[in-house]
Amino acid sequence: MILIDGKKAAAELREELRKEVIELKDKHNRVPGLTVILIGDLTPSQIYVRNKEKSAKEVGLNSEVVKYPDTVEERVILDKIDELNKEDSVSGILVQLPLPKHIDKKKIIEAIDPAKDVDGFHPMNVGNLSSGYESSVPCTPLGCYLLIKQIEPKLSGKKAVIVGRSNLNGKPMTQLLLKENCTVTITHSKTKDLKAECLEADILVAAVGIPELVKGDWVKKDAIVIDVGINKTDKGIVGDVAFDEVSKKAKALTPVPGGVGPMTIACLLKNTVECFKRSQL
Ligand code: NAD
């Protein structure tokens, strides 16, 4: 069984980006810039944002974090986004989720210029992805896709099953694999026989948020299994896949932690560089 090393793949991607940023600086006399808006003091959000800032600096991007208390008015955030949309030195804007209840997530996502939407959540980017046009792709599914391609470059005709249909993970994952000519089934909490669906998969992606939902006897022999889940349990952080059982059946499997997670931030940096390049055309 191949243990898919997300840390290594992310380090390689960051190194590629670091070199690319040097070339872009030579060519355009400036580097891509990423601005993250952080509202409130939720610990996980603070940790994510700190990691994003550190990684952005490592690859040579301009990185800025703008912080607001969780009492901030929605209008203040919308005005800030408007200012950043117009600011040439900012190539990418990310508003860290979740947001406080009084702030409308949809309004915030739609306020970001689609050309600077490094999360790929703007409806314009969602539409572009599903139409097969160039767009920012949400970072976690993009990371999963790159890991799958490393293991299996030829995906055409493969049967892929996605567990979970969130806008963040399951839906964009489906689009990325459709683009590769996979036959894709997307499953969710109302799916009748999830085990039977999973057993069909050459490529199985679990993005659910239920600890160790996918069992060993749900997985076809030699399937590629990608575990997006991050679940806090009494025995520590576990994924949506029962690792010990599934590792006996799968051809390749991502661990949790150390699989998909590190790729998510590297893909955010990749999206920032891509937004910058498109803005220079
Ligand atoms: P979500 O809650 O938005 O969506 C979960 C999906 O799972 C829904 O579509 C739901 O229909 C489906 N679902 C729920 N119960 C199910 C069941 N019993 N059978 C089949 N499907 C079921 O979650 P999300 O934001 O997509 O996140 C999913 C997991 O991925 C979470 O554990 C989250 O922490 C993790 N995550 C990891 C990363 C990363 O970088 N590795 C990034 C984002 C999210």
Side-chain angles (χ1 to χ4, degrees), residues 140 163-166 168-170 187-189 194 207-210 213 228-231 240 260-261 264:
T140 302
V163 190
R165 60 173 160 184
S166 69
L168 179 67
N169 289 308
T187 65
H188 45 78
S189 56
L194 189 58
V208 191
I210 299 180
L213 174 75
V228 180
I230 300 177
N231 307 296
D240 292 342
V260 174
T264 298

Side-chain angles (χ1 to χ4, degrees), residues 141 144 160-175 177 184-191 194 197-198 203-210 213-214 218 226-229 240-241:
C144 296
V161 176
I162 317 297
V163 190
R165 60 173 160 184
S166 69
N167 292 340
L168 179 67
N169 289 308
K171 285 183 194 158
M173 193 70 241
T174 299
Q175 297 300 342
L177 292 173
V184 188
T185 300
I186 183 158
T187 65
H188 45 78
S189 56
K190 304 285 186 290
T191 295
L194 189 58
E197 299 292 348
C198 290
I203 295 148
L204 180 60
V205 181
V208 191
I210 299 180
L213 174 75
V214 176
W218 291 29
I226 305 292
D227 189 353
V228 180
D240 292 342
V241 173

Side-chain angles (χ1 to χ4, degrees), residues 105-126:
K105 183 170 93 176
K106 187 166 177 281
K107 255 196 209 167
I108 297 293
I109 288 174
E110 290 180 4
I112 297 172
D113 179 349
K116 297 189 177 190
D117 167 36
V118 279
D119 256 339
F121 294 162
H122 192 287
M124 181 96 87
N125 282 320
V126 175

Side-chain angles (χ1 to χ4, degrees), residues 90-280:
V90 174
S91 330
I93 303 165
L94 180 151
V95 180
Q96 182 65 44
L97 303 178
L99 299 174
K101 283 204 175 64
H102 68 281
I103 297 183
D104 182 344
K105 183 170 93 176
K106 187 166 177 281
K107 255 196 209 167
I108 297 293
I109 288 174
E110 290 180 4
I112 297 172
D113 179 349
K116 297 189 177 190
D117 167 36
V118 279
D119 256 339
F121 294 162
H122 192 287
M124 181 96 87
N125 282 320
V126 175
N128 279 338
L129 176 63
S130 69
S131 304
Y133 301 136
E134 205 171 25
S135 66
S136 282
V137 177
C139 304
T140 302
L142 179 58
C144 296
Y145 168 77
L146 295 174
L147 292 176
I148 295 167
K149 285 286 276 185
Q150 271 195 356
I151 300 293
E152 181 56 76
K154 290 189 190 139
L155 292 172
S156 185
K158 301 275 182 209
K159 175 91 204 226
V161 176
I162 317 297
V163 190
R165 60 173 160 184
S166 69
N167 292 340
L168 179 67
N169 289 308
K171 285 183 194 158
M173 193 70 241
T174 299
Q175 297 300 342
L176 287 168
L177 292 173
L178 266 179
K179 244 177 154 175
E180 289 286 331
N181 299 318
C182 288
T183 302
V184 188
T185 300
I186 183 158
T187 65
H188 45 78
S189 56
K190 304 285 186 290
T191 295
K192 285 263 160 52
D193 190 345
L194 189 58
K195 176 181 172 182
E197 299 292 348
C198 290
L199 270 168
E200 295 283 313
D202 301 310
I203 295 148
L204 180 60
V205 181
V208 191
I210 299 180
E212 302 181 327
L213 174 75
V214 176
K215 309 285 185 263
D217 62 355
W218 291 29
V219 174
K220 186 161 96 176
K221 191 168 175 335
D222 290 337
I224 297 171
V225 182
I226 305 292
D227 189 353
V228 180
I230 300 177
N231 307 296
K232 261 193 193 162
T233 69
D234 295 344
K235 52 178 185 173
I237 301 281
V238 301
D240 292 342
V241 173
F243 184 89
D244 291 344
E245 292 176 21
V246 172
S247 62
K248 294 186 183 106
K249 295 285 282 296
K251 171 169 132 185
L253 171 63
T254 55
V256 177
V260 174
M263 282 301 276
T264 298
I265 292 183
C267 286
L268 169 68
L269 309 180
K270 181 174 167 60
N271 279 349
T272 307
V273 170
E274 295 300 329
C275 285
F276 174 83
K277 288 196 302 194
R278 286 198 286 272
S279 74
Q280 300 301 311

